[in-house]
């Protein structure tokens, strides 16, 4: 794992954007794995800015999002489809046909999962996957006690995830209890992964992810086994990593 501790959220967003931009300059038809949540918002802002300056284009890019709430339509303001439109897609030249998100309202969610996985494979797999991390170590919506072998599947959201995501809804009760998520197998098949973490609430889980035991109890810990992961965190999220690196220097 390559770890980059940068000063603040702005530097994190800018560093992540430069990795995505160089990916698209070198391979314009890259398959990007995208995340939602608060953490990648700054990255998307940077991408929009550099795209508008003419540095690169999304014309040939293909995207697959990590997850979608079960039961929410694409037009629902809390759906991840809506989020992606508002945070990124409506400002760039990605083709609508090249955008892929699990359909939270599919008649058969099981079939939707299989089709989604199939589509990723048909595009040759994900070239660059962007991840955030939950306070409980989830990546995508792969919650603690995850089965590492699973591809895209229906997941039950952890109580902590429901609580954490309630900030986007009017009440805790409105947060969907299930979602469709790429599985650990899907994520681990990506050629390159960037995990972003910002703020003090992520410090302990980031430490456990990098230095802890590889265990389904900390889903992100599986990333220790991937051969091309870059972790970009700000000083707050990286606080315990800084201590660890100092200790190692003094041994
Ligand atoms: C989002 C996703 C989640 C988030 C995680 C962190 O598509 O799959 O794993 O990345 O919950 O969320 P934030 O960034 O809001 O702290």
């Amino acid at each position: 794992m390559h770890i980059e501790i940068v000063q603040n959220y702005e530097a994190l967003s800018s560093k992540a954007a430069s990795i995505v931009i160089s990916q698209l300059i070198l391979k314009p038809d890259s398959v990007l794995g995208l995340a939602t949540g608060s953490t990648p918002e700054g990255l998307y802002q940077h991408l929009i800015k550099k795209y508008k300056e003419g540095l690169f284009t999304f014309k040939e890019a293909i995207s697959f999002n990590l997850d979608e709430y079960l039961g929410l339509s694409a037009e629902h303001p809390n759906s991840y489809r809506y989020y992606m439109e508002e945070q990124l897609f409506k400002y760039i030249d990605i083709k609508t046909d090249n955008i892929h998100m699990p359909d939270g309202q599919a008649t058969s969610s099981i079939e939707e999962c299989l089709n989604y996985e199939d589509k990723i494979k048909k595009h040759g797999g994900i070239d660059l996957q962007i991840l955030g991390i939950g306070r409980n170590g989830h990546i995508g919506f792969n919650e603690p006690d995850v089965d590492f072998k699973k591809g895209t599947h229906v997941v039950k959201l952890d109580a902590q995830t429901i609580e954490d995501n309630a900030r986007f809804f009017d009440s805790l009760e409105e947060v969907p209890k299930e979602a469709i998520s790429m599985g650990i197998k899907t994520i681990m098949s990506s050629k390159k992964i960037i995990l972003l973490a910002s703020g003090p609430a992520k410090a302990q889980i980031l430490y456990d992810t990098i230095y802890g035991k590889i265990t389904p109890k900390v889903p992100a810990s599986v990333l220790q086994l991937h051969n091309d992961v870059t972790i970009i965190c700000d000083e707050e999220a990286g606080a315990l990593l800084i201590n660890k690196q100092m200790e190692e220097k003094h041994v």
Side-chain angles (χ1 to χ4, degrees):
M1 283 174 154
H2 177 66
I3 305 165
E4 300 251 4
I5 306 171
V6 297
Q7 205 181 1
N8 52 31
Y9 180 67
E10 172 60 19
L12 172 157
S13 304
S14 154
K15 181 142 266 213
S18 42
I19 298 176
V20 177
I21 294 168
S22 78
Q23 174 73 36
L24 285 171
I25 288 176
L26 295 175
K27 186 172 186 271
D29 61 348
S30 288
V31 180
L32 302 176
L34 300 178
T36 58
S38 307
T39 315
E41 285 178 9
L43 156 66
Y44 296 148
Q45 287 298 315
H46 275 268
L47 290 178
I48 293 165
K49 183 164 175 280
K50 296 289 176 198
Y51 159 74
K52 285 190 174 157
E53 287 170 11
L55 181 62
F56 72 110
T57 165
F58 289 87
K59 220 166 38 210
E60 295 174 57
I62 292 152
S63 76
F64 282 91
N65 262 79
L66 276 168
D67 39 23
E68 179 59 284
Y69 288 120
L70 215 62
L72 298 194
S73 71
E75 295 74 37
H76 191 290
N78 286 120
S79 73
Y80 284 166
R81 181 68 182 86
Y82 189 89
Y83 167 105
M84 286 309 301
E85 203 53 41
E86 294 300 308
Q87 295 292 331
L88 181 66
F89 295 153
K90 75 178 184 190
Y91 301 103
I92 60 172
D93 62 348
I94 191 164
K95 293 192 184 102
T96 310
D97 285 352
N98 287 348
I99 294 173
H100 303 90
M101 309 263 319
D103 179 357
Q105 289 201 312
T107 334
S108 160
S109 34
I110 296 182
E111 244 172 66
E112 175 64 12
C113 293
L114 294 173
N115 288 340
Y116 200 67
E117 198 64 31
D118 227 45
K119 274 190 246 166
I120 296 174
K121 283 202 189 102
K122 282 196 180 121
H123 279 93
I126 289 166
D127 290 307
L128 175 61
Q129 176 66 56
I130 292 148
L131 296 175
I133 182 167
R135 281 194 301 149
N136 61 3
H138 75 208
I139 45 177
F141 273 139
N142 294 283
E143 303 285 30
D145 291 322
V146 65
D147 179 347
F148 284 160
K149 297 187 296 301
K150 281 197 178 166
T152 302
H153 63 296
V154 174
V155 291
K156 281 205 186 323
L157 302 185
D158 202 67
Q160 187 166 74
T161 301
I162 294 174
E163 196 183 297
D164 284 350
N165 289 3
R167 68 189 193 278
F168 299 112
F169 291 79
D170 289 337
S171 69
L172 188 71
E173 291 66 44
E174 277 179 42
V175 186
K177 310 291 177 281
E178 289 181 303
I180 293 180
S181 177
M182 281 186 197
I184 295 292
K185 187 174 159 197
T186 331
I187 294 171
M188 289 296 279
S189 306
S190 311
K191 293 173 190 100
K192 186 180 176 70
I193 297 174
I194 325 177
L195 182 141
L196 307 176
S198 167
K202 303 290 171 70
Q204 184 63 53
I205 198 64
L206 198 57
Y207 181 89
D208 295 345
T209 293
I210 299 169
Y211 294 111
K213 202 172 139 200
I214 300 169
T215 165
K217 296 205 176 309
V218 181
S221 65
V222 75
L223 296 174
Q224 292 179 33
L225 300 172
H226 193 281
N227 65 8
D228 193 350
V229 177
T230 300
I231 301 206
I232 308 174
C233 62
D234 56 20
E235 283 176 359
E236 287 181 331
L240 302 176
L241 311 179
I242 299 173
N243 294 345
K244 172 87 176 166
Q245 287 171 351
M246 304 252 272
E247 267 168 40
E248 281 171 355
K249 268 194 201 143
H250 288 101
V251 170

